[in-house]
Amino acid sequence: MQTAQTVDAYIAQYPEAVQVVLESVRKTIREAAPHAQERISYGIPTYFDGENLIHFGATKKHIGLYPSSSGVTAFADRLTDYATSRGAIQFPFNKPIPYALIREITLFRVQEAAAHQVALSHRK
C-alpha cells in the first residue's frame, strides 16, 4: 500500500468489503468528534482537535483503533474480547465491529483533549 494523502485515498486502497467498514468507522468518529480535523498522520486516518484524538487503519485481519493509551485504559473492562496494547485496539473482521464502543471511546478522547486544552490555557 502506498501512503495516502487523504482519508478518501486511504480507504480507496482497500477491497470493497473493507472500504465499507472503514467508511463506517470514519462516520462514527466524525459524528462523535464533529469539530476534529480529518488528516493522514502516521500513514493512517487521524482526527485532530488540539491534539491527535484518535487514529484508525486496516490490516488484513482487523481494524486497528488508536485512541492513545488513556483511551485503551479507560475502556479496558469493555475490551477484554479484543487484542489490545498500550495505545491500540484490534477489532477483527470476523466479529461485528463495535461502532457504539468506537463512538464512546472517541467521545472520551474529545473530552480528554478539551480538558488538556483548558489545563494548558491556565498555565499561560
Side-chain angles (χ1 to χ4, degrees):
M1 297 265 165
Q2 294 182 18
T3 301
Q5 300 302 309
T6 66
V7 175
D8 287 329
Y10 179 87
I11 291 171
Q13 297 179 94
Y14 289 91
E16 188 173 340
V18 175
Q19 288 181 32
V20 169
V21 175
L22 290 170
E23 282 291 355
S24 294
V25 171
R26 179 188 199 183
K27 180 179 183 227
T28 300
I29 291 171
R30 290 185 75 159
E31 287 174 354
H35 302 293
Q37 297 172 340
E38 185 178 75
R39 56 175 69 163
I40 296 291
S41 185
Y42 304 105
I44 56 176
T46 301
Y47 296 84
F48 180 90
D49 192 1
E51 63 185 67
N52 287 339
L53 300 175
I54 197 163
H55 314 267
F56 71 90
T59 69
K60 189 174 184 175
K61 295 185 178 190
H62 68 267
I63 292 291
L65 190 73
Y66 309 95
S68 78
S69 59
S70 62
V72 175
T73 301
F75 291 86
D77 62 325
R78 296 178 53 200
L79 296 171
T80 57
D81 291 340
Y82 306 102
T84 62
S85 62
R86 186 168 180 254
I89 306 161
Q90 294 179 5
F91 298 120
F93 287 122
N94 65 356
K95 292 183 181 179
I97 304 297
Y99 296 108
L101 180 57
I102 292 170
R103 180 181 186 283
E104 288 180 57
I105 293 169
T106 303
L107 289 170
F108 169 83
R109 288 291 297 129
V110 167
Q111 291 173 342
E112 185 175 54
H116 290 161
Q117 294 305 310
V118 169
L120 286 174
S121 70
H122 286 118
R123 290 184 189 160
K124 293 180 182 179

